[in-house]
Amino acid sequence: MALGGAGLLAGSLTATFGRSGKTPAAAPAPAPTPTPSPSGTGGGAAKVSVAASAVPVGGSAQVKDPATGDAVYIVQPKAGQYCGLSSVCTHSGCAVDAPKNGQMYCPCHGSRFDAATGAVINGPATKPLPKYTVTKDGDKLDLGPVQS
């Protein structure tokens, strides 16, 4: 009985604190294309790109931050305006849902974020979602670093 209780406790802690127990985000858009950075920059680190056509106005495409492996939503809230928003809720680290109706929802505790800025609309989260730079290069959108 004690072993069973310990197993339940370990599973509960993993679900609470470990990323593997988090609610999965929405299915990703067409797969991003990791592209090697030009020689001499980033030590050969890959950059992540997605077709601009995969990100409709008011929509998003999901990519992975090459540094952390966390999902990032590239969004286009207004025509020609792009940014990346982390999918990791700032309240308890759960995966937020893909943007819908201008908002991103965390299914764990109900936080809502503005899908254009990452700002908290309602808590319990108190910090905005981390925001990434996104640059347009021809018909591709390149994920940049987290903004400070």
Side-chain angles (χ1 to χ4, degrees), residues 103-142:
Q103 296 184 12
M104 296 169 75
Y105 173 75
C106 179
C108 292
H109 300 107
S111 293
R112 290 188 186 274
F113 301 89
D114 183 287
T117 66
V120 176
I121 294 172
N122 69 277
T126 57
K127 295 179 184 174
L129 293 173
K131 194 172 181 179
Y132 291 74
T133 307
V134 174
T135 55
K136 188 169 184 187
D137 181 15
D139 62 351
K140 292 194 298 187
L141 300 172
D142 296 328

Side-chain angles (χ1 to χ4, degrees), residues 44-148:
K47 68 179 178 179
V48 177
S49 299
V50 67
S53 61
V55 185
V57 175
S60 68
Q62 184 178 327
V63 298
K64 290 211 180 268
D65 178 332
T68 65
D70 292 332
V72 175
Y73 293 109
I74 295 180
V75 298
Q76 182 180 193
K78 295 179 183 174
Q81 176 187 344
Y82 300 96
C83 75
L85 296 171
S86 173
S87 71
V88 180
C89 180
T90 56
H91 171 245
S92 65
C94 292
V96 299
D97 293 337
K100 183 176 179 183
N101 299 324
Q103 296 184 12
M104 296 169 75
Y105 173 75
C106 179
C108 292
H109 300 107
S111 293
R112 290 188 186 274
F113 301 89
D114 183 287
T117 66
V120 176
I121 294 172
N122 69 277
T126 57
K127 295 179 184 174
L129 293 173
K131 194 172 181 179
Y132 291 74
T133 307
V134 174
T135 55
K136 188 169 184 187
D137 181 15
D139 62 351
K140 292 194 298 187
L141 300 172
D142 296 328
L143 182 67
V146 175
Q147 298 174 352
S148 322

